[in-house]
Structure formats: structure tokens, C-alpha cells
């Protein structure tokens, strides 16, 4: 985090805001969003804002505006996916999995978009599923922006309030940022696997 802070701190004028706009835009784009450490960037924005080097509200607005563009592009990119999936054989595992995902998005799409902002490995995938499921675009965008606003505000605000502590305990902060989202996905997979095993276990 020290290296990232020094890098952003070394940028002048509008350039740091352009960097954070790129972060907001790439967050929901597959596959870039899978590996982008967006949480670290936003926490660094809060730290620099606490030092008077950036405007936290402006970073927040820039990130949310860029995320709106990113979400729209990702949603549109997901729409052709539905047609390609439907051309696959009826018993294809990929088709079955995609159709289950689409059905889930139709039922829980808004809630999924608000929550998915906190799960790095799902952020660029769920918007594609929403587009593929033909979910209402206005509702999708509203839910996505609400989730992004809550997520960005928490990280920027956290960096602003806890900047010195985060800088002092960089290793712990990075571990939390990386381990929590990954752990969340692994736990969900384990639960799904157990449910599948329970469903296929022979009755006595």
C-alpha cells in the first residue's frame, strides 16, 4: 500500500482523479475487474484526502460516474451471451449453469447488484448475467450505482478515518482486503457443494 500511495501522491493536478476514474470504470469489466485491487485504490484515495492532497467527495463522484459507464457496457456485453448460450446443446452443463444464473438474476437481481460490489471475484460477472437475463436496465443501473456508492463511500471514508493505522499495518490491511472477498466466495462454494452432496446422498 505504501508503494501505491506514493505512486498516486506523485501525480499532479487532475491526473489522480483520472486514475480513480479508470479504477471505477475497470471494476465491473470482465476480466480486468477480477484482478484489479480496487479496494486498495479507494482506501489510498481516503488516506490522501485525509492528508489534504485530494478531495474525497470528488473522488467519490468520479468513481461512481465511471462505474455507471462500466456497468452499462458490461450489461450490454451480456445481452448477446444469452443467444450464444441458447445455441448450445440442451444438456450442456454450461447452458444449464448459465440458465440457473439468469433465473437467479431475474428473481434477486437488484439485491445481487447491491451486494456484489463487496465481492471482487463476482463484480465483473454479475452485470454480464444481468444483461444476459434481460433484467430491467434502469433497475439494474440504479441498484448497481447504489451498491457502488455504498462500497466506495465505505472504502474512501475508511481510508480517510483510519489512514494512519492502515499505513502502519499495511500487511494486515492487504490481507483483510484480499482474504475477505476470496474467503466469502470459497465459503459459498463449500456450502453449495455440501448441499449438492446432501441432495445426492442415498437415503437409508
Amino acid at each position: 500500500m505504501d508503494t501505491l500511495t506514493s505512486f498516486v501522491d506523485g501525480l499532479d493536478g487532475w491526473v489522480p482523479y483520472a486514475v480513480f476514474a479508470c479504477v471505477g470504470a475497470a471494476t465491473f469489466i470482465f476480466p480486468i475487474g477480477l484482478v484489479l485491487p480496487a479496494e486498495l485504490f479507494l482506501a489510498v484515495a481516503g488516506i490522501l484526502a485525509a492528508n489534504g492532497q485530494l478531495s474525497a467527495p470528488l473522488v467519490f463522484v468520479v468513481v461512481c460516474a465511471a462505474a455507471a459507464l462500466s456497468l452499462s457496457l458490461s450489461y450490454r456485453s451480456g445481452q448477446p451471451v444469452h443467444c450464444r448460450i441458447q445455441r448450445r446443446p440442451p444438456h450442456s452443463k454450461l447452458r444449464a449453469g448459465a440458465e440457473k444464473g439468469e433465473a437467479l438474476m431475474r428473481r434477486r437481481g437488484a439485491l445481487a447488484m447491491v451486494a456484489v460490489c463487496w465481492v471482487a471475484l463476482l463484480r465483473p460477472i454479475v452485470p454480464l448475467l444481468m444483461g444476459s437475463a434481460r433484467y430491467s436496465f434502469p433497475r439494474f443501473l440504479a441498484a448497481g450505482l447504489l451498491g457502488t456508492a455504498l462500497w466506495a463511500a465505505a472504502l474512501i471514508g475508511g481510508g480517510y478515518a483510519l489512514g494512519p493505522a492502515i499505513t502502519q499495518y499495511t500487511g494486515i490491511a492487504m490481507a483483510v482486503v484480499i482474504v475477505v472477498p476470496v474467503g466469502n466466495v470459497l465459503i459459498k462454494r463449500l456450502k453449495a457443494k455440501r448441499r449438492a452432496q446432501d441432495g445426492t446422498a442415498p437415503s437409508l
Side-chain angles (χ1 to χ4, degrees), residues 92-116:
S92 166
K93 291 183 178 180
L94 177 61
R95 177 173 175 173
E99 287 177 346
K100 286 181 180 179
E102 290 177 359
L104 178 62
M105 291 303 103
R106 293 188 192 101
R107 296 194 308 269
R108 306 290 185 184
L111 179 60
M113 274 312 306
V114 172
V116 78

Side-chain angles (χ1 to χ4, degrees), residues 65-101:
L69 175 62
S70 174
L71 286 165
S72 301
L73 290 174
S74 197
Y75 178 92
R76 299 300 181 192
S77 298
Q79 289 181 322
V81 172
H82 178 80
C83 297
R84 290 198 292 268
I85 289 173
Q86 293 302 309
R87 287 197 293 266
R88 299 188 68 87
H91 300 295
S92 166
K93 291 183 178 180
L94 177 61
R95 177 173 175 173
E99 287 177 346
K100 286 181 180 179

Side-chain angles (χ1 to χ4, degrees), residues 10-38:
L11 303 176
D12 296 323
W14 56 267
V15 179
Y17 299 101
V19 170
F20 291 116
C22 291
V23 170
T27 297
F28 295 99
I29 298 296
F30 182 88
I32 302 172
L34 294 173
V35 296
L36 179 70

Side-chain angles (χ1 to χ4, degrees), residues 52-191:
Q53 295 159 282
L54 288 176
S55 166
L58 184 54
V59 172
F60 173 79
V61 170
V62 164
V63 168
C64 289
L69 175 62
S70 174
L71 286 165
S72 301
L73 290 174
S74 197
Y75 178 92
R76 299 300 181 192
S77 298
Q79 289 181 322
V81 172
H82 178 80
C83 297
R84 290 198 292 268
I85 289 173
Q86 293 302 309
R87 287 197 293 266
R88 299 188 68 87
H91 300 295
S92 166
K93 291 183 178 180
L94 177 61
R95 177 173 175 173
E99 287 177 346
K100 286 181 180 179
E102 290 177 359
L104 178 62
M105 291 303 103
R106 293 188 192 101
R107 296 194 308 269
R108 306 290 185 184
L111 179 60
M113 274 312 306
V114 172
V116 78
C117 294
W118 302 91
V119 186
L121 295 178
L122 295 179
R123 277 197 298 261
I125 296 175
V126 170
L128 291 172
L129 284 174
M130 299 280 275
S132 179
R134 303 295 200 273
Y135 191 83
S136 166
F137 179 73
R139 292 180 61 188
F140 158 79
L141 188 59
L145 286 177
L146 174 60
T148 301
L150 295 173
W151 170 72
L155 289 167
I156 296 172
Y160 188 95
L162 304 174
I166 293 175
T167 304
Q168 185 177 358
Y169 301 105
T170 302
I172 297 175
M174 290 185 67
V176 170
V177 168
I178 295 172
V179 170
V180 170
V182 174
N184 186 32
V185 173
L186 291 176
I187 289 172
K188 289 182 178 180
R189 287 185 177 179
L190 285 172
K191 288 182 178 179

